[in-house]
Amino acid sequence: MNNEQLLMLRPDVAGLEKAAAILAEGGLVSFPTETVYGLGADACNDTAVAEIYKAKGRPSFNPLIVHLADVEAVTDFCKMNDTAHQLAAAFWPGALTLVLHLTEGAGVSKLVTAGLDTLAVRVPDHPVAHGLLTAFGGPVAAPSANPSGRVSPTTAAHVAAGLGGKIDAVVDAGECHVGVESSIVSCVGEPALLRAGGIPVEALEACLGQPLAVPQDPDVPAAPGQLASHYAPQGRVRLNAASAEEGEVLLGFGPVEAALNLSVAGDLTEAAARLFACLHALDGMGAKRIAVSPIPDHGLGRAINDRLKRAAAPR
Ligand code: TXA
Ligand code: MG
């Protein structure tokens, strides 16, 4: 079924029912969330989850996020402690993933957790994602819908370009408005920030009334997906560039002369929303060398810089 032409589904009742039926049959459906497009499969179906790894070319040690329609559904699969309840009340539905203790016998495929006894869960804040999760009625495992190591998709066209021919369908609901992946907080043990993302770390810490630990050991990524090289466009990337050198294309931020600009106004929210679309556009232009303006490292700037550092890492 995966070799047929990619089916584009509308984000209406009929489209979501079709998408849910494909998931129920063990197929792969890409769907929009407020952060990026996910590549969904039934989280309880080993074969379907294995197909995610195959379609993405993803290393099998890298566990997946499970998406659920609401907090009540989360408690069917994980144990929520006080930290989890506080963060869930403040930020769900939304761009936050919580790592929690997995409830034994909950039925989630071991390929989803890559054998860990914890589960990453998220309740997305997108009407189409919510509609699909409700129509399907179960947990949907979904990494970002890009080939492993490449730029995450913020439109259905990005998904089709990266994974067309390898997946069954994509629900097209236009652009994702947050544009970077969810923030990941581990609630197992000391609360820790595993990935900077769509919810600024300052907001998470204000909610908990304490700083989040940031696991430091670069050789042991706390979230196994946090590999050094990731989000890579085709061209080489140079960061903190005041201007473009000969042969470089400048990806600007703020009022600079640039081929593409994340936000002329210097707005970090706009820059996050445009980041992956700009990296895809640089690929489209055939840019071989990319210079990127400095981005302030606070608020969503932290998530943007995290992605750019990985895009610039040696491959
Ligand atoms: O915004 C998002 O989070 C998007 C949309 C589709 O929801 N999803 C996404 O998934 O970014 P993915 O697979 O690209 O990233 C999942 C990250 C990886 O870094 C993975 O290692 C980490 O979550 N992760 C998953 N389960 C984990 C666990 N039990 N403990 C620690 N990290 C975990
Ligand atoms: Mg990803």
Side-chain angles (χ1 to χ4, degrees):
M1 138 164 67
N2 286 344
N3 294 327
E4 285 169 25
Q5 211 194 344
L6 180 59
L7 177 64
M8 284 274 179
L9 295 171
R10 292 230 270 231
D12 54 17
V13 173
L16 293 181
E17 274 175 9
K18 175 73 185 163
I22 294 172
L23 290 176
E25 287 163 16
L28 299 186
V29 178
S30 177
F31 62 97
T33 78
E34 74 277 34
T35 59
V36 299
Y37 274 72
L39 179 58
D42 176 353
C44 297
N45 179 332
D46 289 326
T47 316
V49 177
E51 291 288 340
I52 291 183
Y53 285 97
K54 188 167 138 203
K56 283 186 61 98
R58 182 177 179 121
S60 55
F61 54 77
N62 190 353
L64 305 172
I65 297 172
V66 162
H67 297 67
L68 290 157
D70 49 45
V71 187
E72 289 67 50
V74 171
T75 58
D76 293 340
F77 297 92
C78 317
K79 294 173 202 120
M80 303 233 341
N81 55 17
D82 287 350
T83 307
H85 279 297
Q86 262 174 293
L87 291 171
F91 300 108
W92 276 352
L96 176 66
T97 292
L98 298 179
V99 172
L100 304 170
H101 276 298
L102 176 66
T103 303
E104 238 175 278
V108 173
S109 165
K110 285 225 184 322
L111 281 173
V112 169
T113 55
L116 300 172
D117 58 3
T118 54
L119 184 68
V121 280
R122 178 159 106 81
V123 177
D125 184 20
H126 191 296
V128 175
H130 184 79
L132 177 59
L133 293 168
T134 307
F136 177 63
V140 173
S144 48
N146 51 284
S148 192
R150 316 253 25 138
V151 179
S152 298
T154 54
T155 66
H158 295 159
V159 176
L163 295 177
K166 297 190 169 151
I167 67 175
D168 297 293
V170 54
V171 184
D172 184 357
E175 289 171 21
C176 304
H177 73 266
V178 174
V180 289
E181 295 86 347
S182 58
S183 304
I184 305 181
V185 174
S186 170
C187 300
V188 174
E190 184 187 20
L193 182 72
L194 303 189
R195 176 174 77 183
I199 307 284
V201 61
E202 294 89 337
L204 298 166
E205 292 180 336
C207 167
L208 293 176
Q210 69 176 91
L212 288 167
V214 180
Q216 286 303 347
D217 187 343
D219 293 330
V220 186
Q226 298 293 82
L227 302 173
S229 170
H230 202 152
Y231 306 106
Q234 311 285 347
R236 254 194 297 141
V237 179
R238 183 170 68 89
L239 302 179
N240 295 315
S243 60
E245 289 168 3
E246 177 96 28
E248 285 182 337
V249 180
L250 183 65
L251 175 59
F253 177 82
V256 290
E257 188 83 24
L260 285 173
N261 203 309
L262 290 167
S263 170
V264 175
D267 179 318
L268 289 168
T269 303
E270 183 188 21
R274 286 175 46 74
L275 175 66
F276 293 139
C278 284
L279 294 177
H280 280 285
L282 287 161
D283 277 351
M285 291 161 58
K288 298 265 177 305
R289 292 171 54 210
I290 301 160
V292 187
S293 296
I295 316 281
D297 202 39
H298 59 77
L300 289 182
R302 185 126 163 218
I304 296 170
N305 283 323
D306 169 81
R307 307 304 183 273
L308 286 172
K309 247 188 282 161
R310 291 172 212 286
R315 308 167 197 164

